[in-house]
């Protein structure tokens, strides 16, 4: 129970506080009632209460003087003051001496209970923290190796730097080294046992008078060899590579195909352990591209233009997808993947593949409104290697292309035929152009122009112009329309420009053509 001491020179107040408040329900007990400040000070020293509820103005010591005494000698005691005077000076002094709360007389039971509840909660939280701290203190003494391992995991994998107190309590200084991450592929999906591996590595490095620590994380074993901080990096780096090669040689040849080793940059303090770990993970991603059974060393050499170049080539691939045949599509996707391979950036590759799938879906949807891409990011992630991903993308592109062929044949109207129909029906529209037609057919201008040229042997713009001049010829010879009226009826708003185009094609002006025909 939490002990409460009441100090007040008014008996009615003391009695009311002790009897009207459900102290037991609050988890408290009244350990004493003092009738003045002197008695109150004595009870504080003898009873060592948890909470003191005291009047401010009373004989002997005032409540503020008691608050000052408690502040200087009993810092764990919570002090709550009562006063019949609503004076700011009292409140100001109360704050100065760390008083928990300040209540005005006459007190209200609910108000007092609310303050006591808060005080009890504060005390309980503090006691819980003290218990936890005491528990940790005992555990620290009894299980320092386990705690060291846990802290090492937090620092290396999560990047959590311990407090200064922990740094002083436990020797966490790693020296100079690099995080060497061993990743083992386990076909049974169970975490592999690293016990024999850690023992062999420990024996190997200790034979060379080297300290080493280990962290196990999922299917990875993190090896943290360390040298003297005084050793130059140019000596540390080759020794670290030698350690990695020795570790790989520990595994039998047939098991190495399931093992990959990534080595991060050099760490020189516990603050740089996490950075070295992340670099080792980055290095490990190279195994996705070049295969397992190898050592991969982190390098910061990256081509900043890789992403932009790949995105541009992907856009070109999408633009030409309708036009290319299967053989050309497979060739182009292999060419794209050859460049992506040496980015050694798995996330970049997966993102570009996802973008490609989405855009291919949109290409087919222009012809088949009910089409939706049934493959997505999950299927891409299931590919364990870069080559598996390439095979998956080639297979998907072939399926999409075949579906596109089938859909276009079912429709039986190609883009070129649709463009011809639009020209036949809307040549009088002055806005009709290659751009306008492409927008109506939901294809790119370049694709429409290439397709038209390929199927007809003629440029689309020339075809449109010739159609307009053919109609103009007929109107000039079969009607009494004037030249400017004819020009408008065949899509030319400017009669002078119509005349220039007509003469270029027919070798004569519209007026002369009309006159002699």
């Amino acid at each position: 129970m939490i002990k409460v001491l009441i100090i007040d020179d008014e008996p009615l107040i003391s009695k009311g506080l002790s009897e009207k408040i459900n102290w037991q329900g609050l988890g408290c007990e009244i350990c004493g009632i003092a009738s003045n400040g002197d008695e109150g000070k004595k009870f504080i020293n003898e009873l060592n209460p948890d909470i003191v509820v005291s009047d401010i103005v009373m004989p002997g010591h005032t409540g503020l003087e008691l608050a000052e005494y408690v502040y200087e000698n009993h810092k764990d005691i919570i002090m709550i003051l009562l006063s019949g005077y609503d004076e700011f000076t009292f409140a100001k002094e109360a704050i100065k001496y760390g008083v928990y709360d300040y209540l005005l007389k006459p007190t209200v039971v609910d108000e007092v209970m609310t303050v006591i509840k808060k005080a009890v909660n504060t005390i309980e939280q503090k006691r819980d923290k003290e218990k936890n701290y005491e528990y940790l203190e005992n555990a620290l003494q009894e299980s320092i190796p386990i705690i060291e391992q846990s802290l090492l995991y937090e620092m290396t994998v999560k990047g959590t730097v311990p407090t200064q107190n922990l740094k002083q309590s436990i020797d966490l200084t790693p020296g100079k080294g690099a995080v060497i991450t061993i990743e083992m592929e386990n076909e049974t999906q169970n975490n592999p046992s690293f016990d024999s591996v850690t023992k062999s590595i420990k024996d190997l490095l200790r034979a060379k008078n080297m300290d080493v620590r280990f962290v196990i994380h999922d299917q990875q074993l993190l090896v943290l060899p360390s040298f003297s901080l005084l050793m130059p990096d140019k000596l540390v780096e080759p020794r670290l590579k030698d350690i990695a090669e020795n570790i790989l040689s520990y595994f039998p040849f047939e098991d190495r195909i399931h093992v990959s080793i990534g080595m991060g940059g050099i760490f020189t303090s516990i603050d740089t352990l996490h950075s070295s770990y992340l670099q080792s993970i980055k290095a490990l991603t190279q195994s996705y591209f070049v295969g397992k059974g190898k050592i991969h060393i982190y390098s910061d050499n990256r081509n900043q233009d890789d992403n932009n170049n790949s995105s541009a080539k992907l856009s070109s691939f999408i633009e030409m997808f309708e036009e290319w045949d299967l053989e050309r599509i497979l060739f182009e996707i292999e060419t794209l993947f050859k460049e992506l391979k040496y980015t050694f950036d798995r996330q970049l590759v997966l993102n570009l593949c996802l973008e490609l799938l989405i855009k291919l879906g949109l290409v087919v949807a222009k012809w088949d409104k009910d089409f939706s891409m049934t493959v997505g990011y999950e299927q891409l992630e299931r590919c364990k290697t870069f080559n598996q991903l390439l095979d998956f993308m080639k297979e998907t592109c072939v399926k999409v292309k075949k579906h596109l062929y089938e859909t276009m044949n079912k429709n039986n109207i190609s883009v070129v035929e649709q463009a011809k129909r639009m020209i036949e029906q809307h040549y009088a529209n002055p806005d009709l152009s290659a751009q306008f037609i492409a927008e109506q057919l939901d294809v790119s201008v370049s694709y429409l122009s290439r397709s038209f040229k390929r199927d007809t042997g003629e440029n689309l713009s020339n075809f449109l112009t010739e159609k307009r001049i053919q109609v103009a010829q007929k109107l000039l010879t079969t009607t009494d329309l004037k030249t400017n009226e004819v020009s408008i009826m065949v899509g030319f708003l400017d009669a002078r420009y119509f005349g220039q185009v007509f003469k270029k094609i027919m070798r004569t002006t519209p007026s002369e053509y009309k006159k002699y025909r």
Side-chain angles (χ1 to χ4, degrees), residues 309-474:
N309 291 339
S310 300
S311 294
K313 291 186 177 180
L314 183 142
S315 297
S316 176
F317 182 88
I318 294 296
E319 186 176 334
M320 299 296 294
F321 188 78
E322 291 174 298
E323 186 174 345
W324 284 338
D325 58 20
L326 279 175
E327 184 178 353
R328 180 66 183 275
I329 286 173
L330 293 175
F331 171 78
E332 292 294 338
I333 200 166
E334 284 187 355
T335 301
L336 176 62
F337 265 65
K338 281 179 183 178
E339 296 185 11
L340 289 176
K341 181 173 185 177
Y342 295 101
T343 63
F344 294 125
D345 189 334
R346 182 170 181 259
Q347 197 60 55
L348 168 66
V349 173
L350 291 179
N351 289 341
L352 285 171
C353 287
L354 180 62
E355 182 182 352
L356 177 59
L357 292 176
I358 292 171
K359 290 184 175 179
L360 284 179
L362 295 175
V363 169
V364 180
K366 290 189 301 186
W367 297 90
D368 180 359
K369 301 300 182 184
D370 298 324
F371 178 80
S372 62
M373 186 64 71
T374 57
V375 294
Y377 198 77
E378 289 184 2
Q379 289 91 331
L380 298 178
E381 281 198 312
R382 290 195 197 113
C383 298
K384 297 296 184 182
T385 67
F386 183 79
N387 288 336
Q388 285 181 13
L389 181 65
L390 172 58
D391 291 340
F392 174 80
M393 291 301 296
K394 286 165 66 177
E395 179 183 341
T396 302
C397 285
V398 168
K399 289 179 180 178
V400 172
K401 182 64 177 179
K402 286 182 178 179
H403 182 82
L404 184 60
Y405 269 142
E406 292 171 2
T407 304
M408 292 173 72
N409 289 334
K410 283 180 183 177
N411 292 341
N412 202 28
I413 303 175
S414 69
V415 170
V416 174
E417 289 302 318
Q418 292 183 72
K420 284 182 177 180
R421 289 188 181 188
M422 287 189 68
I423 292 171
E424 289 288 340
Q425 296 170 8
H426 304 288
Y427 60 82
N429 183 352
D431 293 328
L432 193 67
S433 64
Q435 179 69 42
F436 182 89
I437 296 171
E439 289 176 359
Q440 297 302 307
L441 299 180
D442 197 19
V443 295
S444 68
V445 178
S446 58
Y447 171 71
L448 175 62
S449 299
R450 284 194 305 270
S451 299
F452 200 94
K453 177 71 173 178
R454 180 194 62 210
D455 291 358
T456 67
E458 187 175 1
N459 291 330
L460 187 147
S461 297
N462 292 344
F463 185 88
L464 172 59
T465 301
E466 288 173 1
K467 174 62 181 178
R468 284 170 165 165
I469 297 304
Q470 287 174 8
V471 176
Q473 287 177 260
K474 186 175 181 180

Side-chain angles (χ1 to χ4, degrees), residues 155-171:
M155 291 186 296
T156 307
V157 177
K158 294 188 175 181
T160 304
V161 178
T163 63
Q164 192 61 37
N165 289 337
L166 275 174
K167 288 182 183 180
Q168 293 172 353
S169 301
I170 303 176
D171 180 18

Side-chain angles (χ1 to χ4, degrees), residues 14 86 122 131 149 155 183 200 217 222 251 265 272 308 327 346 352 360 369 372 404 423 428 443 463 489:
S14 299
D86 186 6
T122 300
K131 285 180 182 178
Q149 185 65 26
M155 291 186 296
E183 188 171 71
S200 297
H217 175 53
L222 281 56
F251 295 95
T272 52
N308 293 334
E327 184 178 353
R346 182 170 181 259
L352 285 171
L360 284 179
K369 301 300 182 184
S372 62
L404 184 60
I423 292 171
V443 295
F463 185 88
M489 294 184 71

Side-chain angles (χ1 to χ4, degrees), residues 182-198:
I182 305 170
E183 188 171 71
M184 294 178 63
E185 183 181 282
N186 193 322
E187 295 180 358
T188 64
Q189 301 300 318
N190 296 321
N191 289 343
S193 173
F194 287 110
D195 293 342
S196 59
V197 181
T198 55

